[in-house]
Amino acid sequence: MSARENILNAITMNQPEFIEIPVIDSSVVIQYDDVYAQFKTVLESIGGKTELITDITALKEQLTAEKENGSFVVNTISALGEVDEQVAFLSASELEKVEKAYIKGTIGVAENGAIWVYESQMINRLVPFICQHLVLVIEKKNIVNTLHQAYEKLDVSKEGFGTFIAGPSKTADIEQSLVIGAHGARSAMIYVIE
């Protein structure tokens, strides 16, 4: 028997016992009295901003004004007007000039301020990470207490890619100081539709 076979046999003989995955009752995990208030508190503590709006049309004027100023703004939300489908075919070097991106999120999580975004909502999976300023839009009714509850509502196999985004890019590796916008969006504004 070769050394390789000896090693593989030793690994095979040394497997841990199979343990069933625990069933988590999401009704007994964290429950917040006001999920939006918790979402807002956590999101703002990690560098993001949030604003409660009554209707998504309030953002139309903002988007139009930014595009008229000549800024490279990407809109992926059809309720705001023309969707910038052409970004699906742009490379990273072409997308690096994106000043602001408007993206609709699927679900928000109160415990950590994260928002789930499917790839189809981004149009190009680079957009939320390469833009200078990220604008996410979610509905208040789609904010849940915990990640457990979020995963119960999501179909993660629906598309090839999806991600939770929690505020702007940040790192604390540099001399133990929190740096916002180190390797991605410098700001994240989340609009929550009532």
Side-chain angles (χ1 to χ4, degrees):
M1 208 181 273
S2 71
R4 179 180 181 272
E5 289 171 330
N6 285 336
I7 292 169
L8 292 174
N9 286 336
I11 291 171
T12 303
M13 299 298 291
N14 229 348
Q15 294 295 313
E17 265 186 57
F18 177 77
I19 299 172
E20 290 286 333
I21 295 175
V23 176
I24 297 171
D25 182 2
S26 63
S27 66
V28 297
V29 295
I30 301 168
Q31 299 287 325
Y32 298 106
D33 293 331
D34 184 346
V35 288
Y36 171 72
Q38 178 65 23
F39 176 81
K40 178 180 172 82
T41 300
V42 173
L43 184 66
E44 290 179 354
S45 74
I46 59 174
K49 293 181 180 140
T50 187
E51 186 178 324
L52 197 58
I53 59 175
T54 55
D55 190 354
I56 196 167
T57 55
L59 299 177
K60 276 186 179 180
E61 293 171 12
Q62 178 180 316
L63 175 65
T64 303
E66 288 167 347
K67 285 196 171 197
E68 285 174 357
N69 284 343
S71 296
F72 187 0
V73 179
V74 172
N75 175 37
T76 68
I77 307 170
S78 58
L80 292 179
E82 186 180 342
V83 173
D84 297 310
E85 297 283 350
Q86 78 280 5
V87 299
F89 308 106
L90 298 181
S91 66
S93 60
E94 294 167 308
L95 287 171
E96 78 173 316
K97 297 172 185 78
V98 174
E99 185 64 25
K100 191 178 268 190
Y102 288 78
I103 301 172
K104 183 139 173 66
T106 301
I107 206 159
V109 183
E111 74 175 337
N112 63 4
I115 297 168
W116 178 265
V117 182
Y118 285 109
E119 183 173 19
S120 61
Q121 294 170 302
M122 302 173 202
I123 297 180
N124 183 322
R125 65 175 66 176
L126 291 173
V127 170
F129 309 107
I130 204 164
C131 65
Q132 292 295 313
H133 304 283
L134 178 61
V135 176
L136 294 170
V137 180
I138 62 167
E139 294 183 34
K140 187 176 180 183
K141 68 180 182 181
N142 292 335
I143 300 176
V144 296
N145 289 290
T146 66
L147 279 169
H148 295 295
Q149 292 167 337
Y151 277 113
E152 285 174 2
K153 292 185 173 210
L154 292 172
D155 181 4
V156 293
S157 64
K158 176 181 164 185
E159 297 184 17
F161 179 74
T163 187
F164 278 107
I165 299 174
S169 155
K170 55 201 148 306
T171 183
D173 294 343
I174 303 165
E175 296 183 15
Q176 299 177 351
S177 324
L178 181 63
V179 177
I180 305 256
H183 43 69
R186 294 184 327 192
S187 72
M189 181 69 195
I190 288 68
Y191 289 98
V192 179
I193 304 169
E194 241 181 315

